[in-house]
Amino acid sequence: MPVEIRGRPSFGQILVALVVLVALAGAVFAVDRFWRWAGEYDRSRTPGTMTERMMARKSQQLQHLLDGMIAHDYQKVSRAASELERISETMQSLISEQAYGSDGVAFRESLETLQRAVTANDSEEAIASADRVVDSCMRCHERLHSGR
């Protein structure tokens, strides 16, 4: 039997509308929380392609890593290195293996060595590893910009 609406909506109709509204708001909130948790929420809303945004994040994390090295804050270094490893894995799926191949391997290996050094509180190896991290970035960008 069809429902005919005349005048004001019934209590049941208002209740259903509120439940739907709350469910939609909850879904929006859940998606926002998921993206923040996944690390893909970008407060700065960096313009550009996905690769450019990921490179901006990588640059930010490299800055955090260097700040941690200067302050001898190995927890900060370790967090930045972990984030750089995560971003590097994502970058590898965005950029061709040919373009990111050996440079990506050198980058990830230097990050792993750096993680081991800060865990062991070995400042000499941490400094050398941090140098290799930066060097691998510079070599990759030099190669990419020179077209090799």
PDB file of all heavy atoms in Angstrom, residues 74-87:
ATOM      1  N   TYR A  74      67.724  10.223  17.933  1.00  0.00           N
ATOM      2  CA  TYR A  74      67.635   9.029  17.111  1.00  0.00           C
ATOM      3  C   TYR A  74      66.210   8.498  16.967  1.00  0.00           C
ATOM      4  O   TYR A  74      65.914   7.794  16.009  1.00  0.00           O
ATOM      5  CB  TYR A  74      68.576   7.949  17.633  1.00  0.00           C
ATOM      6  CG  TYR A  74      70.033   8.216  17.293  1.00  0.00           C
ATOM      7  CD1 TYR A  74      71.043   7.520  17.910  1.00  0.00           C
ATOM      8  CD2 TYR A  74      70.397   9.175  16.348  1.00  0.00           C
ATOM      9  CE1 TYR A  74      72.386   7.746  17.599  1.00  0.00           C
ATOM     10  CE2 TYR A  74      71.719   9.423  16.030  1.00  0.00           C
ATOM     11  CZ  TYR A  74      72.704   8.704  16.658  1.00  0.00           C
ATOM     12  OH  TYR A  74      74.023   8.935  16.341  1.00  0.00           O
ATOM     13  N   GLN A  75      65.322   8.837  17.888  1.00  0.00           N
ATOM     14  CA  GLN A  75      63.920   8.453  17.709  1.00  0.00           C
ATOM     15  C   GLN A  75      63.324   9.195  16.523  1.00  0.00           C
ATOM     16  O   GLN A  75      62.606   8.613  15.712  1.00  0.00           O
ATOM     17  CB  GLN A  75      63.109   8.724  18.972  1.00  0.00           C
ATOM     18  CG  GLN A  75      63.409   7.759  20.092  1.00  0.00           C
ATOM     19  CD  GLN A  75      62.553   8.027  21.316  1.00  0.00           C
ATOM     20  OE1 GLN A  75      62.054   9.128  21.515  1.00  0.00           O
ATOM     21  NE2 GLN A  75      62.402   7.004  22.137  1.00  0.00           N
ATOM     22  N   LYS A  76      63.638  10.471  16.407  1.00  0.00           N
ATOM     23  CA  LYS A  76      63.154  11.267  15.276  1.00  0.00           C
ATOM     24  C   LYS A  76      63.758  10.739  13.970  1.00  0.00           C
ATOM     25  O   LYS A  76      63.068  10.633  12.960  1.00  0.00           O
ATOM     26  CB  LYS A  76      63.516  12.744  15.479  1.00  0.00           C
ATOM     27  CG  LYS A  76      62.972  13.665  14.417  1.00  0.00           C
ATOM     28  CD  LYS A  76      63.237  15.117  14.774  1.00  0.00           C
ATOM     29  CE  LYS A  76      62.521  16.056  13.823  1.00  0.00           C
ATOM     30  NZ  LYS A  76      62.659  17.457  14.238  1.00  0.00           N
ATOM     31  N   VAL A  77      65.030  10.401  14.003  1.00  0.00           N
ATOM     32  CA  VAL A  77      65.699   9.850  12.826  1.00  0.00           C
ATOM     33  C   VAL A  77      65.022   8.550  12.406  1.00  0.00           C
ATOM     34  O   VAL A  77      64.722   8.337  11.230  1.00  0.00           O
ATOM     35  CB  VAL A  77      67.201   9.619  13.099  1.00  0.00           C
ATOM     36  CG1 VAL A  77      67.856   8.856  11.950  1.00  0.00           C
ATOM     37  CG2 VAL A  77      67.917  10.934  13.349  1.00  0.00           C
ATOM     38  N   SER A  78      64.751   7.695  13.375  1.00  0.00           N
ATOM     39  CA  SER A  78      64.134   6.409  13.084  1.00  0.00           C
ATOM     40  C   SER A  78      62.727   6.577  12.507  1.00  0.00           C
ATOM     41  O   SER A  78      62.355   5.892  11.539  1.00  0.00           O
ATOM     42  CB  SER A  78      64.083   5.555  14.357  1.00  0.00           C
ATOM     43  OG  SER A  78      63.535   4.300  14.075  1.00  0.00           O
ATOM     44  N   ARG A  79      61.951   7.498  13.073  1.00  0.00           N
ATOM     45  CA  ARG A  79      60.597   7.745  12.537  1.00  0.00           C
ATOM     46  C   ARG A  79      60.664   8.265  11.104  1.00  0.00           C
ATOM     47  O   ARG A  79      59.923   7.807  10.239  1.00  0.00           O
ATOM     48  CB  ARG A  79      59.844   8.744  13.420  1.00  0.00           C
ATOM     49  CG  ARG A  79      59.325   8.180  14.713  1.00  0.00           C
ATOM     50  CD  ARG A  79      58.376   9.146  15.413  1.00  0.00           C
ATOM     51  NE  ARG A  79      58.942  10.471  15.625  1.00  0.00           N
ATOM     52  CZ  ARG A  79      59.612  10.854  16.706  1.00  0.00           C
ATOM     53  NH1 ARG A  79      59.813   9.996  17.689  1.00  0.00           N
ATOM     54  NH2 ARG A  79      60.086  12.088  16.815  1.00  0.00           N
ATOM     55  N   ALA A  80      61.569   9.199  10.867  1.00  0.00           N
ATOM     56  CA  ALA A  80      61.701   9.763   9.520  1.00  0.00           C
ATOM     57  C   ALA A  80      62.179   8.696   8.526  1.00  0.00           C
ATOM     58  O   ALA A  80      61.679   8.616   7.405  1.00  0.00           O
ATOM     59  CB  ALA A  80      62.653  10.954   9.533  1.00  0.00           C
ATOM     60  N   ALA A  81      63.122   7.863   8.954  1.00  0.00           N
ATOM     61  CA  ALA A  81      63.626   6.805   8.077  1.00  0.00           C
ATOM     62  C   ALA A  81      62.520   5.801   7.750  1.00  0.00           C
ATOM     63  O   ALA A  81      62.395   5.372   6.593  1.00  0.00           O
ATOM     64  CB  ALA A  81      64.819   6.103   8.725  1.00  0.00           C
ATOM     65  N   SER A  82      61.708   5.466   8.730  1.00  0.00           N
ATOM     66  CA  SER A  82      60.586   4.547   8.485  1.00  0.00           C
ATOM     67  C   SER A  82      59.599   5.142   7.497  1.00  0.00           C
ATOM     68  O   SER A  82      59.111   4.453   6.592  1.00  0.00           O
ATOM     69  CB  SER A  82      59.866   4.219   9.792  1.00  0.00           C
ATOM     70  OG  SER A  82      60.699   3.498  10.649  1.00  0.00           O
ATOM     71  N   GLU A  83      59.307   6.413   7.665  1.00  0.00           N
ATOM     72  CA  GLU A  83      58.385   7.085   6.751  1.00  0.00           C
ATOM     73  C   GLU A  83      58.992   7.174   5.349  1.00  0.00           C
ATOM     74  O   GLU A  83      58.298   6.988   4.354  1.00  0.00           O
ATOM     75  CB  GLU A  83      58.024   8.478   7.281  1.00  0.00           C
ATOM     76  CG  GLU A  83      56.980   9.197   6.472  1.00  0.00           C
ATOM     77  CD  GLU A  83      55.616   8.520   6.426  1.00  0.00           C
ATOM     78  OE1 GLU A  83      55.336   7.614   7.238  1.00  0.00           O
ATOM     79  OE2 GLU A  83      54.815   8.898   5.549  1.00  0.00           O
ATOM     80  N   LEU A  84      60.280   7.443   5.265  1.00  0.00           N
ATOM     81  CA  LEU A  84      60.955   7.477   3.970  1.00  0.00           C
ATOM     82  C   LEU A  84      60.905   6.114   3.285  1.00  0.00           C
ATOM     83  O   LEU A  84      60.719   6.031   2.069  1.00  0.00           O
ATOM     84  CB  LEU A  84      62.402   7.950   4.121  1.00  0.00           C
ATOM     85  CG  LEU A  84      62.590   9.449   4.296  1.00  0.00           C
ATOM     86  CD1 LEU A  84      63.991   9.762   4.798  1.00  0.00           C
ATOM     87  CD2 LEU A  84      62.302  10.178   2.998  1.00  0.00           C
ATOM     88  N   GLU A  85      61.052   5.042   4.049  1.00  0.00           N
ATOM     89  CA  GLU A  85      60.954   3.697   3.479  1.00  0.00           C
ATOM     90  C   GLU A  85      59.557   3.453   2.928  1.00  0.00           C
ATOM     91  O   GLU A  85      59.390   2.916   1.832  1.00  0.00           O
ATOM     92  CB  GLU A  85      61.294   2.638   4.533  1.00  0.00           C
ATOM     93  CG  GLU A  85      62.764   2.576   4.860  1.00  0.00           C
ATOM     94  CD  GLU A  85      63.082   1.656   6.030  1.00  0.00           C
ATOM     95  OE1 GLU A  85      62.162   1.306   6.802  1.00  0.00           O
ATOM     96  OE2 GLU A  85      64.263   1.297   6.172  1.00  0.00           O
ATOM     97  N   ARG A  86      58.528   3.889   3.671  1.00  0.00           N
ATOM     98  CA  ARG A  86      57.143   3.709   3.219  1.00  0.00           C
ATOM     99  C   ARG A  86      56.890   4.508   1.948  1.00  0.00           C
ATOM    100  O   ARG A  86      56.318   3.996   0.983  1.00  0.00           O
ATOM    101  CB  ARG A  86      56.172   4.144   4.314  1.00  0.00           C
ATOM    102  CG  ARG A  86      54.714   3.792   4.008  1.00  0.00           C
ATOM    103  CD  ARG A  86      53.761   4.449   4.984  1.00  0.00           C
ATOM    104  NE  ARG A  86      53.701   5.885   4.812  1.00  0.00           N
ATOM    105  CZ  ARG A  86      53.048   6.502   3.813  1.00  0.00           C
ATOM    106  NH1 ARG A  86      52.441   5.803   2.893  1.00  0.00           N
ATOM    107  NH2 ARG A  86      53.022   7.817   3.738  1.00  0.00           N
ATOM    108  N   ILE A  87      57.352   5.749   1.926  1.00  0.00           N
ATOM    109  CA  ILE A  87      57.161   6.589   0.749  1.00  0.00           C
ATOM    110  C   ILE A  87      57.921   6.007  -0.441  1.00  0.00           C
ATOM    111  O   ILE A  87      57.421   5.992  -1.570  1.00  0.00           O
ATOM    112  CB  ILE A  87      57.607   8.041   1.036  1.00  0.00           C
ATOM    113  CG1 ILE A  87      56.690   8.678   2.081  1.00  0.00           C
ATOM    114  CG2 ILE A  87      57.611   8.875  -0.243  1.00  0.00           C
ATOM    115  CD1 ILE A  87      57.204  10.004   2.637  1.00  0.00           C
TER     116      ILE A  87
END
